[in-house]
Amino acid sequence: MATSRSDQQWGRGFICGVLFTCVIVVAFLWGQHNAYGATTPPKYWVDTALKIGACEQPSGLKGKWAAVAWKNEKNYSFLGGMGMTLANWADFKRKGQPERMSDATPIEQVWAAWRLYKWAEETYPGYGYTAWVCSEMIGFRGFTRSHQWK
């Protein structure tokens, strides 16, 4: 049975459309990856950031259990839940994230804290943890090569 020329063109057009769509999607994802720099923070950092964030809350500093107040606006110098200064948030947030840390999502705050920690470790090897007062209070002094706390 012979196929008509219009059936063959639709087949080629469909395949070309699918390939074009794939190219556009890959280009978009590649651009997103490069535009926002990198990867998500590793799980070992997310776990650590949650402990630091809980300690950075007013009740956490007193040794009491504390939840992370991601939308904290009571202490103007340390908005959000990670205990980062306004300058650190401005320096380590991604382009397009809110100007105020308290307006950012929890994962955006954890990402910014991860970038701060990595920068501090590269700039002052072995002292990245000192970006937060609570690091030593919870026993965090950086990571070993196997991603365990030192």
Side-chain angles (χ1 to χ4, degrees), residues 25-69:
V25 167
V26 168
F28 172 77
L29 293 174
W30 182 81
Q32 290 295 310
H33 173 75
N34 288 325
Y36 294 109
T39 59
T40 60
K43 183 181 181 327
Y44 64 88
W45 172 255
V46 174
D47 294 341
T48 301
L50 291 174
K51 291 176 183 166
I52 291 171
C55 178
E56 289 286 344
Q57 308 309 307
S59 61
L61 291 172
K62 297 175 186 162
K64 297 178 182 174
W65 182 87
V68 181

Side-chain angles (χ1 to χ4, degrees), residues 1-4 7:
M1 179 169 143
T3 59
S4 70
D7 289 342

